[in-house]
Amino acid sequence: MNSPEEDLQDFIPSTEAETEEDVELTREQIDAVAKLESLGYKKIGHYSDGGVRFGTKIPTGSSRIFDVGAEHLQFASLNAENYCEHSEYKGITSRDGTYAEFMINYASSRTPAGRAVEQYNWKYQAPDCDHVFDPWTIRSGTREYTTGFHIRSPKKDACIELSEISPVSHFATPTGSTWWPADHTEYTLKVWVTSSGTTEANTRQAQQIAHNILFEMDAKEGGQFSLISQGPVRVDVRRTQRSTDPHSIAFPSTIVPREVAALFSFAGEAFENPPFAFLSYYQVLEYYMPLVSRRDALRQVRREIRDLSFDVSNDASVLRVLNTVERAKGVSEEEALKILVRDCARADRLAEFFQPSEMAQHFSKKGPIAGVPAINVNSTSETLATQTARRIYALRNRIVHAKDDPRYISTPQLLPRSAEANSLGPDIRLARFLALEAVTDNQD
């Protein structure tokens, strides 16, 4: 197994690497490099523009290499320890929360965010603040303009800047840029707020401002930029790793309606949008809810008719049948889901689903998803099927209902690209399991 240093060297293009003698640093810059190395950043060489190449191991275990211009070394060394990762989005925040710098993404997967930023010529009022804004000048054909912007709020309590990534962000953001084309510049969204109290309040205010400006950039100018969530956003709906052994295949024996097949397929494609994946599997359940509820109603009616005490000439007997029909007609969506899980999901398979320790932890009261019922396989007050249906329905409501709906005021909306959205994997797999059980149970 290679050492961390050997792993890092593997990332360095041989045509780019140069020896230390190729660059002369001042005493202050040498001290800055030493300070950065004391913080865990390994100096591994220089690059042709006079900067220093660093490498580090990020928490996920993969190596990261980045170049820092010699002129930025002192700034980075003085500020790297004063910032930390943003808890929800890729970027950094100051320890008191009054400054935040967010990595941004562009809607088109073929266009880097930096290239997209440089296509816009933003018109704005020059701010009256103490911040230094030194934008790049873009020359394209007969056009010449500066890229990015720096604007201040009317109350003068906040500033927003779209500009080149700061040197310190390279260090404090483990997902900062690595190798880019020579003509590529990475841009970040920076927010300054006047301290309003706690670090949490400041951080929340800066994050809200970032959301607001990106929304208006999209709504007014079609600039489809977004913040990038922390953590994994790709959700694998499989329960186990794909085997390398040959997979058996036979002519299909399962009959699946076109609607169900399309929804099931889309859920697998939506691995980068966990709420969409969950809702697609939920829509499969919705497809079968009327069928299963009708089947349950017919079973109950037949049971009343087959009762030995049933007498067609007796009003009470006939009313019992009518009441059964009325109850079936007025069943709510949540009740219909409970019927589906109860009738379609095999009890032993459902219990088996929750057996792994990581599943038990996720679905417990201490799990990462708030505002939805926990699932306790040992509960004596509710069946496992009922608990499962209640959680699936509550989670569906958190995704689709707005926060200001009084019916759902106690359960705020689950937002895309949030930490909770990125933790939906086990719930998505549960919805997929129930969808498969529903398909299987409804084969003729």
Side-chain angles (χ1 to χ4, degrees):
M1 179 179 294
N2 290 343
S3 66
E5 290 75 11
E6 290 171 330
D7 288 337
L8 291 170
Q9 292 292 340
D10 290 340
F11 282 80
I12 303 176
S14 57
T15 57
E16 295 285 343
E18 298 185 5
T19 65
E20 293 192 11
E21 288 71 26
D22 291 332
V23 177
E24 291 186 4
L25 299 178
T26 66
R27 169 51 57 186
E28 291 78 10
Q29 291 169 342
I30 292 173
D31 291 342
V33 170
K35 174 67 179 298
L36 289 168
E37 288 197 294
S38 72
L39 296 175
Y41 303 98
K42 177 69 175 177
K43 176 188 171 186
I44 56 177
H46 296 275
Y47 64 98
S48 57
D49 290 337
V52 177
R53 178 157 293 157
F54 289 88
T56 183
K57 283 283 192 176
I58 64 175
T60 56
S62 59
S63 300
R64 183 167 65 94
I65 292 178
F66 48 87
D67 297 330
V68 180
E71 71 276 16
H72 296 311
L73 284 170
Q74 288 177 273
F75 179 84
S77 67
L78 291 172
N79 289 276
E81 61 185 344
N82 297 325
Y83 296 86
C84 58
E85 286 184 75
H86 193 278
S87 60
E88 193 165 350
Y89 294 97
K90 291 182 180 179
I92 62 173
T93 181
S94 60
R95 299 293 179 183
D96 62 0
T98 58
Y99 172 79
E101 182 173 350
F102 299 97
M103 312 290 288
I104 56 174
N105 186 41
Y106 187 60
S108 172
S109 59
R110 297 182 179 181
T111 305
R115 295 277 175 80
V117 167
E118 293 177 348
Q119 294 173 7
Y120 287 87
N121 179 11
W122 299 101
K123 182 181 179 181
Y124 58 94
Q125 183 175 355
D128 177 21
C129 64
D130 297 329
H131 301 125
V132 177
F133 177 51
D134 185 20
W136 287 98
T137 297
I138 304 297
R139 295 178 178 84
S140 176
T142 58
R143 298 175 63 204
E144 182 174 316
Y145 57 92
T146 57
T147 186
F149 54 76
H150 187 108
I151 52 180
R152 194 178 189 187
S153 69
K155 295 182 179 179
K156 298 185 178 182
D157 60 351
C159 284
I160 312 171
E161 179 176 303
L162 180 63
S163 59
E164 182 182 3
I165 186 172
S166 71
V168 69
S169 187
H170 279 296
F171 291 92
T173 306
T175 46
S177 65
T178 53
W179 296 109
W180 295 100
D183 61 345
H184 176 79
T185 301
E186 187 171 7
Y187 291 81
T188 54
L189 187 68
K190 304 167 182 68
V191 181
W192 291 264
V193 298
T194 301
S195 178
S196 59
T198 66
T199 298
E200 182 181 358
N202 295 334
T203 302
R204 187 166 54 247
Q205 181 185 0
Q207 182 174 318
Q208 184 61 58
I209 291 172
H211 285 304
N212 292 347
I213 189 66
L214 292 179
F215 172 80
E216 292 207 359
M217 287 168 63
D218 188 356
K220 294 180 178 180
E221 306 294 340
Q224 295 181 310
F225 298 94
S226 62
L227 305 184
I228 306 172
S229 11
Q230 284 280 18
V233 296
R234 291 178 176 242
V235 175
D236 191 345
V237 299
R238 295 169 293 158
R239 286 296 305 275
T240 58
Q241 293 296 319
R242 183 178 287 111
S243 171
T244 57
D245 296 333
H247 301 282
S248 61
I249 189 70
F251 195 84
S253 59
T254 306
I255 300 176
V256 184
R258 179 173 62 91
E259 298 88 343
V260 170
L263 290 168
F264 207 87
S265 175
F266 180 76
E269 297 171 8
F271 51 81
E272 290 186 338
N273 192 324
F276 269 20
F278 177 87
L279 288 179
S280 294
Y281 287 128
Y282 186 87
Q283 286 180 295
V284 174
L285 300 177
E286 280 187 315
Y287 180 90
Y288 286 107
M289 282 181 202
L291 303 178
V292 176
S293 295
R294 184 164 59 248
R295 187 177 65 187
D296 181 68
L298 289 172
R299 181 182 60 81
Q300 293 185 52
V301 168
R302 288 192 178 100
R303 181 174 181 177
E304 291 293 340
I305 294 174
R306 290 169 180 167
D307 192 298
L308 296 178
S309 65
F310 178 78
D311 183 357
V312 71
S313 62
N314 183 289
D315 289 349
S317 292
V318 176
L319 282 173
R320 281 201 301 271
V321 175
L322 290 176
N323 288 337
T324 300
V325 174
E326 288 298 321
R327 285 196 300 271
K329 287 174 59 179
V331 67
S332 66
E333 183 172 340
E334 183 177 11
E335 289 302 315
L337 181 58
K338 290 178 181 178
I339 293 171
L340 183 145
V341 177
R342 181 197 68 196
D343 289 357
C344 297
R346 290 163 288 181
D348 59 335
R349 294 292 300 277
L350 185 60
E352 181 184 345
F353 180 90
F354 297 104
Q355 286 306 311
S357 58
E358 65 272 13
M359 287 295 186
Q361 175 63 30
H362 176 88
F363 291 101
S364 70
K365 292 181 179 179
K366 296 181 180 180
I369 311 298
V372 295
I375 295 179
N376 179 7
V377 294
N378 299 316
S379 174
T380 57
S381 59
E382 277 187 322
T383 66
L384 186 56
T386 298
Q387 293 181 72
T388 300
R390 288 180 59 239
R391 181 183 178 95
I392 291 292
Y393 185 69
L395 188 51
R396 172 260 187 195
N397 288 341
R398 282 207 58 197
I399 295 173
V400 303
H401 289 300
K403 292 174 67 175
D404 59 354
D405 190 323
R407 294 177 300 169
Y408 307 101
I409 194 169
S410 62
T411 54
Q413 189 176 21
L414 193 153
L415 299 173
R417 301 192 182 95
S418 65
E420 284 189 309
N422 292 337
S423 300
L424 281 175
D427 286 283
I428 294 172
R429 290 194 286 273
L430 177 58
R432 182 177 188 270
F433 164 76
L434 295 176
L436 287 172
E437 292 288 282
V439 170
T440 302
D441 192 66
N442 284 274
Q443 295 300 301
D444 292 333

